[in-house]
């Protein structure tokens, strides 16, 4: 089955997106991102902006390209079937977001790149790193393990409540 949500080029083909495309596309992207993230962290010996941050931004963009059209359809063309799959996916997105936001190795990678970023770097690069580091703190990367677990539970509960 061809999945229009997994086409990396061009604008979303809203008329071809069906509820049965959503969860498989999201699961595939989340799995791909997790695998690439593990490899990136394992290979990050001397990370720099181009070798570490750009691929991470591409992963984020890939997820956005799948979920953004789904979210849009949920808002403008709601159906029982679409709502059901959308609501099933919200906890998956929440879980992934918390995993990434609380990943201490990833946080260290961002800190290292930020510390090594010289004055020749663009303002956009500095801004992206500043915002990313702030997002790690807001996601609880600094929390003790038990508080991280509680944060994750609260986020997943919030996703379920939003689905209602």
């Amino acid at each position: 089955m061809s999945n229009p949500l997994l086409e990396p080029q061009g604008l979303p083909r809203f008329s071809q997106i069906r509820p049965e495309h959503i969860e498989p596309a999201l699961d595939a992207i989340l799995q791909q991102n997790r695998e690439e993230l593990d490899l990136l962290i394992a290979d990050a010996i001397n990370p720099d902006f181009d070798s570490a941050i750009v691929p991470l931004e591409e992963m984020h963009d890939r997820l956005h390209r799948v979920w953004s059209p789904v979210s849009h359809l949920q808002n403008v063309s709601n159906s029982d079937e679409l709502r059901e799959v959308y609501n099933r996916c919200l906890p998956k997105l929440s879980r992934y977001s918390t995993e990434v936001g609380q990943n201490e190795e990833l946080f260290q990678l961002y800190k290292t790149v930020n510390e090594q970023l010289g004055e020749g770097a663009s303002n956009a690069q500095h801004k992206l790193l500043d915002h990313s580091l702030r997002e790690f703190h807001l996601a609880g990367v600094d929390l003790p393990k038990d508080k991280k677990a509680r944060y994750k539970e609260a986020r997943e509960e919030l996703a379920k409540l939003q689905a209602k």
Side-chain angles (χ1 to χ4, degrees):
M1 171 174 81
S2 175
N3 192 325
L5 288 168
L6 294 175
E7 294 177 6
Q9 306 278 335
L11 295 173
R13 296 181 308 167
F14 289 103
S15 65
Q16 295 179 7
I17 299 171
R18 303 284 176 258
E20 60 268 16
H21 295 135
I22 296 170
E23 197 165 11
L26 180 65
D27 289 344
I29 293 301
L30 292 178
Q31 179 181 340
Q32 184 180 358
N33 280 5
R34 284 180 174 115
E35 290 170 3
E36 287 183 26
L37 182 61
D38 288 344
L39 289 173
L40 186 71
I41 290 171
D43 292 341
I45 296 171
N46 292 315
D48 61 21
F49 195 89
D50 290 334
S51 69
I53 305 306
V54 170
L56 290 164
E57 288 299 308
E58 289 170 353
M59 284 183 242
H60 175 74
D61 183 62
R62 187 170 47 228
L63 178 57
H64 180 74
R65 288 186 57 78
V66 167
W67 191 248
S68 206
V70 172
S71 185
H72 177 72
L73 286 172
Q74 168 65 13
N75 289 322
V76 301
S77 180
N78 196 340
S79 69
D80 291 342
E81 193 177 8
L82 177 61
R83 189 179 316 96
E84 181 183 327
V85 71
Y86 180 86
N87 289 342
R88 264 197 326 264
C89 289
L90 286 176
K92 293 179 181 191
L93 283 168
S94 177
R95 195 171 306 118
Y96 175 78
S97 174
T98 302
E99 286 172 20
V100 170
Q102 292 184 354
N103 186 318
E104 293 177 22
E105 292 173 306
L106 185 58
F107 175 61
Q108 288 302 320
L109 185 140
Y110 270 88
K111 280 178 54 175
T112 299
V113 171
N114 190 48
E115 291 165 2
Q116 293 175 354
L117 203 59
E119 289 189 24
S122 73
N123 191 34
Q125 290 173 321
H126 285 288
K127 195 68 116 169
L128 185 137
L129 289 169
D130 287 343
H131 286 276
S132 296
L133 290 169
R134 181 189 66 209
E135 290 300 316
F136 278 104
H137 292 296
L138 292 174
V141 74
D142 302 338
L143 293 173
K145 197 170 196 161
D146 62 325
K147 301 282 187 204
K148 283 182 180 181
R150 177 64 189 120
Y151 178 90
K152 182 178 179 183
E153 290 170 11
R155 290 273 314 232
E156 289 185 30
E157 181 65 23
L158 180 60
K160 289 176 187 173
L161 292 171
Q162 285 175 325
K164 290 183 178 182

